[in-house]
Amino acid sequence: MPHALLARRRAILLAAGAILARPALAQPPFPDRPIRVIVPWTPGGATDIQMRSICDQASRRLGQPVIVENKPGASGTLGVQFLAREGRPDGYTLGQVPNGTFRMPAMTDRPQWDPTRDFTWIIRLVGYMGGVVVRPDSPWHSMQELVAYARAHPGRLSYGTPGANTTDIQMTRLARLAGIDWVAVPFRGAAPNLQALLGGQIHFSAETSAWADMALEGRVRPIGVWMSERAARFPNVPTFREAGFDVLGESTYGIAGPRGMDPGVVRILHDAFKEALYDPAHLATIARFDMPVRYLNTEDYATAAMMQNEEEKRTVQELGLRAS
């Protein structure tokens, strides 16, 4: 082989070896830029306030801003729609996961996401306290009085919910048990729901604990909660079951991301949000709304999500729900 050709081949091999020997470029530590968390409700409601509090605390642990982005509408599912269809699994776009995440796909023949495979479950956080509130000048002081009036005036009463197929699930169950007919009016979150109540556009609100401060101020009057026990700050307000109606509406939520997230990134996010969950400032925030801590780690949350998916399928079938 000619000397020139050998020299050229030796130079190529040496260059290739140098490239192979060169250390791989280090990946920047996660996170190295702001993280956004989609909250699919209007600002000012219990979920929005709770999520802003925990995201503020998580940002202190992560060293980057954790920014809440409100995307109300579609019964609280615009966030998970985005995660499933457009979200990148890099850990920088997350979302609060409401019950509609599981319920909505069961209500349509062409679901836009699959709860069993389209998400990375990161951490479960808290549960809701909720119930029925009326205006202070309302003639109803108990669930029994409200139900009795509804029986005597079928179709006359309207009530607000924070979105279609949210708290109206509890009220539909109650209506079937009590043999009554009333009209659900869905709003795009708790704030417009309660504003409509104060404005006299609806007769009562079936709402999560966004009404708690208003109740303490005397601006609304709670007459029943759909919890397993009475709320700590409202010990005189009976549960639905105590009022004679076997309806339970406790629910929980957490944070998820798009499917396919790196386990190491998930672990960092889980640990930061877990610390934030138990931070005294965040605990004080959820105490304002009587929201209990319902923590689950990543693995247990994924298991619970699969179980909830099956439960919501049964609820949809039982109540004959369909997406509008």
Side-chain angles (χ1 to χ4, degrees):
M1 183 178 291
H3 179 75
L5 184 58
L6 284 172
R8 185 181 304 171
R9 179 173 293 180
R10 187 179 297 113
I12 292 173
L13 291 173
L14 288 172
I19 292 173
L20 291 173
R22 191 178 300 161
L25 293 176
Q27 293 294 321
F30 176 87
D32 64 351
R33 61 181 187 271
I35 296 168
R36 66 169 170 164
V37 179
I38 300 172
V39 174
W41 310 104
T42 53
T47 308
D48 175 70
I49 293 171
Q50 180 275 321
M51 288 299 299
R52 288 179 185 276
S53 175
I54 200 169
C55 286
D56 179 61
Q57 294 301 323
S59 70
R60 299 168 191 260
R61 276 80 179 173
L62 292 166
Q64 291 288 340
V66 181
I67 302 166
V68 166
E69 179 179 329
N70 295 96
K71 284 184 176 291
S75 300
T77 60
L78 288 184
V80 292
Q81 283 186 44
F82 181 85
L83 293 181
R85 297 166 64 182
E86 302 179 49
R88 297 180 59 185
D90 55 9
Y92 291 98
T93 302
L94 312 173
Q96 182 259 345
V97 185
N99 279 356
T101 302
F102 309 98
R103 188 175 298 147
M104 292 297 287
M107 294 170 56
T108 177
D109 295 329
R110 295 183 178 180
Q112 299 185 52
W113 66 87
D114 183 343
T116 66
R117 62 178 178 84
D118 284 342
F119 307 107
T120 298
W121 306 97
I122 298 172
I123 182 172
R124 195 172 80 177
L125 300 173
V126 297
Y128 283 117
M129 187 276 284
V132 170
V133 293
V134 297
R135 291 187 301 276
D137 60 353
S138 166
W140 309 299
H141 292 78
S142 69
M143 288 302 300
Q144 293 95 329
E145 291 179 357
L146 180 66
V147 167
Y149 184 92
R151 281 196 184 114
H153 303 83
R156 288 273 299 277
L157 291 186
S158 63
Y159 66 93
T161 75
N165 300 304
T166 56
T167 58
D168 54 322
I169 300 299
Q170 288 89 303
M171 304 314 291
T172 298
R173 284 199 173 110
L174 175 56
R176 291 196 176 187
L177 281 173
I180 55 180
D181 177 26
W182 45 31
V183 180
V185 182
F187 293 92
R188 298 180 69 185
N193 181 14
L194 293 168
Q195 288 167 6
L197 174 66
L198 297 179
Q201 291 143 13
I202 52 177
H203 293 96
F204 64 93
S205 285
E207 182 56 78
T208 56
S209 53
W211 48 257
D213 285 349
M214 297 171 63
L216 293 173
E217 296 165 1
R219 298 169 62 198
V220 298
R221 181 170 66 235
I223 61 174
V225 293
W226 47 63
M227 312 298 290
S228 57
E229 57 188 22
R230 298 189 184 198
R233 291 189 300 160
F234 302 96
N236 296 324
V237 180
T239 68
F240 278 22
R241 285 177 169 174
E242 288 177 317
F245 310 110
D246 189 15
V247 174
L248 184 64
E250 292 182 330
S251 61
T252 59
Y253 64 84
I255 294 175
R259 67 177 172 181
M261 288 177 59
D262 181 271
V265 169
V266 172
R267 184 166 53 254
I268 291 170
L269 290 168
H270 166 274
D271 292 350
F273 275 100
K274 182 182 179 182
E275 287 187 20
L277 176 64
Y278 291 101
D279 187 278
H282 176 256
L283 292 176
T285 297
I286 62 176
R288 288 176 50 198
F289 302 105
D290 297 279
M291 300 173 78
V293 171
R294 292 291 184 259
Y295 164 75
L296 286 179
N297 64 28
T298 298
E299 182 179 355
D300 291 342
Y301 187 27
T303 300
M306 300 307 102
M307 295 174 61
Q308 186 172 356
N309 188 54
E310 294 304 313
E311 290 174 7
E312 292 297 339
K313 285 181 181 179
R314 288 192 292 270
T315 297
V316 167
Q317 186 174 11
E318 172 194 343
L319 299 181
L321 302 175
R322 297 297 295 175
S324 57

